[in-house]
Amino acid sequence: MRRRRPRGGPGWLAALLVGPALLAGPALALPTAPPLVCDHLPDAPACAGGAVDCALCHTVPPARSVYGAQLEGFLAPGAVRPLTPDAFAQALPDALDLAGALDADGDGASNGAELAAGSDPNDTASAPGAGGDRCDGPVTGDWNVCTYDAVYVLKKIHLDVCGQSPTRAQVDAVRAAGDAMPLLHAALDACLDSENWRGKDGVVWRMAHTKIRPVQSIKAGEEDPGDIPLGDYFDDYAYFVYHHTDDRDARDLLLGNYFVARTEGPDGTVYEPWDRSFREELDVRGFGPAQLVVRSARVGMLTHRWFIMSNTMFTAIPRTTAAQAYRAYLGLDISKLEGLEPGLPLPEDYDNKGVRADACAVCHTTLDPLTYPFTRYEGIVVGNFREQLPFAYSPNRMQHYVDTDGPRVAETPEAGRILGQDVANLREWAQVAANSDAFAQATVRDYWKVFMGEAPRDAEQAEFVALWQAFRGEHEYRVERMLHALIETEAYGVP
Amino acid sequence: MSRERVLLMLGLALGAVACDDEPAAEPTPAADMAVAPDAAVMAQPIVASDKARVQFKGPRWANDLAVGLNLPKRELCRELGQADCMDEVHHIALGGVEAYRLGVREALPVAPATAAIAAERIALSACIKRVDQDLADPAEAWIFGPLADASGLPDDAALLPLAQALYDKLLRRDATPAEAQALVDFAAEVRADGATQAPARDWAVLTCFAVASSLESLFY
């Protein structure tokens, strides 16, 4: 079946910039390249989402993969570099065809055959399957590798979610069942309530490590405090697990204006939301771990004290904060040239950092407007707290940075831009982010990696796309609903 | 015969059973040490998976080991008698993370060379604990109670249910006849080892170790 590229979302979102690596000289973004590959190879499994992944042609952009290197050799050879976008687009189809006859990874299958089959032309260990008739005869072995194997799935559910293998009785029940699917869903439900899944240091908690990036030596709070207490990241973990468990909307990770407390009860870990005013919070917890952003300015985890403390720190225009939010919750890593919006004007250089230089503007045209909504949230402050309160929302914050960053820094707007949309402040930023394809893709991809042990393979792209689209749709952003669909996929259920 | 040699012999014998999925062929030295593979396995070649997606259990392996050997997880193995092998000493090597102090936020993408060594240390330690407890208190024994009163290694008929129990407890399935017989046959190697003073204990520890550290135990 030919799959068309989804419409409605910005096409460049999924794009990784194949273009720069294919061009010599200064970095030049050609974010149309990944979908162009799919325009020419629409039936390739890797094109189920409308655009190939950057890893097809790059290791870490702009460095090329072995296949990318072969492709580049056929891309308008002899033409003056860098190619214009139009010249690139015109040359790409022929280059894909010519490179398709070669075998970049030396596994005996041509690049074209690998792309058609959904295997990776860069990976010797990935080749088109034995295929066809291998499943025509009787299936032998412990697992049924030719169709959905309920016992195999039961074992995986228990290990992936509960953290240990099923009992023999559980296996026997599934083996004996005419329709094992209800038992599998019941097993998943039971495991989703296990401490291994939702407790402290459980699976969901550990998924948050790369988003929260804890550092114990500067942890505040009563539990495991560090020597220099600056913020309590356990607030962030509790908030993350709360929104990824039970029947909760995962978008509130970026939209909630409350906090979540964790308690260890006799029946396991309990997460409960709480809300206090600035003054109440100081009275209850003291300054050490207090969340100091006023309720009206809270934007989920993006304005938790730990997040703005550890990312913004002393920075006037906290690009690191915005980049981490983009990477952690939308899966877009600007350091890998992901999520760049083409065609934007050069950014104003409010803090005199040289962001308009050619080599810098490639990223900063996107990154700087992405960052402006974060500029009113204070990081670490050294000085008089009566004038400048740390970890808090401050509409006049930029005035405090004129001495260090120059007079123009005070002109930095709070309004910015994300995913092709102008936004007035961080709340609007978060609303665009939470409702984006990128958020759904990133969330589902995180769980896919937990359940499969790796990112979706090319041959699994169709199921992956269907899953994140269902997460946005029928699952209403409930992680557990999505997981019930995930265990029914061919990718999970066929050994 | 040294313990290392005993381990090597056992590994080769079990490996020969586990890997012998080819139709009948000329006997090899390794196959000679093992029993004939099961007829059902021999009948047809196994249909291979296109995906070849196998995951290391990592810290989950210790959970299975604790359940299988009926030991508290923290007692499976303690380096120097103090530090928990799984949750502390070898945690990162065996696929764990330590984000707060070490900044290891994701499991290592490739298992380090020490992972196999660490897994073997944990398996051996846990099996020694299980066997010693069973032999010291046969009335409450989990697997190896029948060996408590034996002056030497019992005959094969007495060892067979113990071999089957190992597969039942550790891998949560029945042993195939060939798998169980391989463990029983290993007793002959132990009997022939004049150096050991406790052949029943050695057989129990090493057969437990062989199953607990098998690929099937460690991966899924």
Side-chain angles (χ1 to χ4, degrees):
Chain A
M1 176 187 297
R2 172 173 292 206
R3 290 186 172 273
R4 298 182 65 82
R5 200 178 333 151
R7 297 187 182 279
W12 51 271
L13 263 183
L16 291 168
L17 307 183
V18 174
L22 299 176
L23 303 173
L28 176 61
L30 280 181
T32 54
L36 281 176
V37 172
C38 290
D39 284 347
H40 190 63
L41 303 171
D43 295 326
C47 288
V52 293
D53 192 89
C54 66
L56 178 63
C57 293
H58 299 281
T59 50
V60 176
R64 296 183 191 94
S65 65
V66 288
Y67 172 71
Q70 285 190 338
L71 183 66
E72 196 277 341
F74 292 113
L75 196 68
V80 176
R81 308 292 166 134
L83 297 175
T84 65
D86 286 344
F88 176 83
Q90 191 170 7
L92 186 60
D94 286 345
L96 286 166
D97 290 342
L98 291 167
L102 303 184
D103 177 10
D105 55 10
D107 61 4
S110 69
N111 298 327
E114 297 228 41
L115 288 170
S119 59
D120 184 353
N122 293 296
D123 183 357
T124 306
S126 171
D133 57 359
R134 63 189 257 287
C135 288
D136 289 349
V139 176
T140 58
D142 291 334
W143 305 124
N144 185 346
V145 300
C146 292
T147 188
Y148 193 88
D149 187 319
V151 174
Y152 169 77
V153 172
L154 179 76
K155 185 163 188 174
K156 277 183 62 62
I157 288 171
H158 275 264
L159 282 161
D160 293 335
V161 187
C162 279
Q164 61 183 41
S165 296
T167 64
R168 292 195 64 162
Q170 290 166 324
V171 171
D172 290 344
V174 165
R175 187 167 280 133
D179 176 10
M181 205 53 83
L183 291 177
L184 297 180
H185 286 291
L188 177 60
D189 277 333
C191 286
L192 290 172
D193 288 335
S194 69
E195 285 298 287
N196 182 73
W197 183 256
R198 55 179 290 146
K200 180 175 182 291
D201 290 319
V203 177
V204 181
W205 183 289
R206 294 198 301 272
M207 285 172 59
H209 283 331
T210 56
K211 306 171 196 316
I212 296 169
R213 305 196 294 190
V215 180
Q216 189 277 332
S217 59
I218 53 173
K219 183 186 177 300
E222 294 180 357
E223 189 177 356
D224 195 23
D227 293 334
I228 308 169
L230 293 175
D232 187 354
Y233 46 71
F234 283 169
D235 284 358
D236 301 56
Y237 282 101
Y239 196 85
F240 183 88
V241 176
Y242 178 79
H243 289 98
H244 276 238
T245 51
D246 298 329
D247 196 36
R248 303 193 180 95
D249 190 329
R251 290 174 299 178
D252 284 339
L253 209 60
L254 303 184
L255 299 174
N257 61 359
Y258 47 86
F259 300 96
V260 173
R262 170 181 57 89
T263 53
E264 311 287 347
D267 297 323
T269 306
V270 176
Y271 299 93
E272 292 179 302
W274 60 269
D275 187 8
R276 289 188 279 268
S277 70
F278 175 88
R279 179 56 59 190
E280 290 168 341
E281 171 70 342
L282 284 178
D283 290 345
V284 172
R285 298 210 295 178
F287 179 77
Q291 298 288 351
L292 299 176
V293 173
V294 295
R295 185 181 292 119
S296 61
R298 292 173 192 162
V299 186
M301 290 186 75
L302 302 180
T303 55
H304 275 204
R305 173 167 168 167
W306 177 264
F307 189 76
I308 53 180
M309 181 281 296
S310 60
N311 289 297
T312 298
M313 299 184 81
F314 308 95
T315 315
I317 299 179
R319 299 179 179 91
T320 298
T321 310
Q324 172 61 5
Y326 211 39
R327 174 170 43 233
Y329 301 109
L330 303 183
L332 299 171
D333 191 337
I334 287 181
S335 71
K336 296 178 182 174
L337 304 179
E338 295 172 357
L340 299 181
E341 182 179 2
L344 291 177
L346 286 175
E348 294 297 325
D349 195 0
Y350 295 115
D351 56 350
N352 198 29
K353 293 294 191 290
V355 296
R356 294 167 66 89
D358 284 347
C360 304
V362 172
C363 292
H364 281 271
T365 50
T366 297
L367 177 57
D368 282 28
L370 191 75
T371 302
Y372 299 149
F374 288 89
T375 56
R376 269 53 177 183
Y377 292 84
E378 191 58 88
I380 301 171
V381 169
V382 179
N384 188 344
F385 284 7
R386 292 185 184 281
E387 294 180 359
Q388 195 177 1
L389 186 65
F391 321 128
Y393 178 75
S394 173
N396 299 318
R397 175 175 180 263
M398 304 313 289
Q399 302 289 343
H400 297 289
Y401 291 89
V402 170
D403 288 346
T404 54
D405 294 84
R408 287 207 66 202
V409 77
E411 301 172 19
T412 309
E414 185 173 5
R417 185 176 174 88
I418 176 174
L419 304 180
Q421 295 187 49
D422 292 330
V423 292
N425 51 42
L426 192 57
R427 171 150 293 279
E428 289 188 12
W429 189 105
Q431 286 168 337
V432 172
N435 288 295
S436 68
D437 286 355
F439 177 77
Q441 290 164 354
T443 304
V444 174
R445 184 179 287 106
D446 279 350
Y447 284 96
W448 187 285
K449 290 165 75 173
V450 168
F451 278 61
M452 312 291 182
E454 60 184 348
R457 298 178 183 179
D458 286 350
E460 297 163 343
Q461 283 298 320
E463 280 194 315
F464 173 68
V465 170
L467 195 61
W468 70 254
Q469 289 179 342
F471 179 62
R472 293 196 64 177
E474 63 187 276
H475 303 149
E476 297 177 304
Y477 294 94
R478 268 63 175 177
V479 166
E480 294 191 356
R481 294 186 201 176
M482 180 272 294
L483 294 178
H484 277 281
L486 188 153
I487 67 166
E488 293 192 7
T489 60
E490 187 272 349
Y492 192 69
V494 180
Chain B
M1 183 186 294
S2 68
R3 170 165 291 179
E4 289 73 17
R5 179 165 165 70
V6 169
L7 280 172
L8 177 61
M9 296 291 282
L10 179 59
L12 288 171
L14 292 176
V17 172
C19 298
D20 198 349
D21 57 358
E22 295 296 326
E26 289 297 314
T28 64
D32 285 344
M33 291 189 296
V35 297
D38 294 320
V41 175
M42 290 288 292
Q44 300 174 59
I46 291 175
V47 177
S49 168
D50 259 356
K51 297 178 182 173
R53 175 176 274 147
V54 177
Q55 292 175 255
F56 179 40
K57 286 184 183 174
R60 292 165 292 194
W61 172 67
N63 297 337
D64 279 357
L65 203 55
V67 172
L69 296 177
N70 196 29
L71 292 169
K73 187 179 168 190
R74 65 182 180 282
E75 291 182 14
L76 291 175
C77 172
R78 302 190 78 78
E79 292 288 1
L80 304 175
Q82 298 180 6
D84 189 306
C85 298
M86 188 72 234
D87 288 342
E88 296 178 68
V89 183
H90 305 300
H91 190 60
I92 305 300
L94 292 175
V97 299
E98 207 302 301
Y100 315 116
R101 288 170 172 77
L102 302 180
V104 180
R105 302 176 189 126
E106 295 181 285
L108 301 178
V110 177
T114 55
I117 300 169
E120 290 193 349
R121 285 181 68 82
I122 293 171
L124 191 57
S125 168
C127 286
I128 288 172
K129 281 190 169 58
R130 180 69 271 153
V131 171
D132 286 350
Q133 287 185 21
D134 282 1
L135 299 185
D137 186 4
E140 298 294 324
W142 181 245
I143 299 173
F144 299 107
L147 295 179
D149 297 327
S151 55
L153 262 173
D155 61 22
D156 288 0
L159 295 178
L160 185 62
L162 302 182
Q164 291 167 331
L166 278 170
Y167 276 84
D168 173 44
K169 305 289 189 189
L170 286 168
L171 301 183
R172 305 181 190 195
R173 65 171 174 84
D174 291 336
T176 66
E179 289 168 337
Q181 193 60 45
L183 296 183
V184 170
D185 290 349
F186 174 61
E189 299 285 338
V190 179
R191 289 190 189 98
D193 179 10
T196 179
Q197 301 299 310
R201 178 181 182 275
D202 283 359
W203 178 85
V205 167
L206 295 175
T207 51
C208 170
F209 170 81
V211 179
S213 61
S214 64
L215 292 179
E216 183 177 346
S217 175
L218 286 161
F219 295 87
Y220 72 108

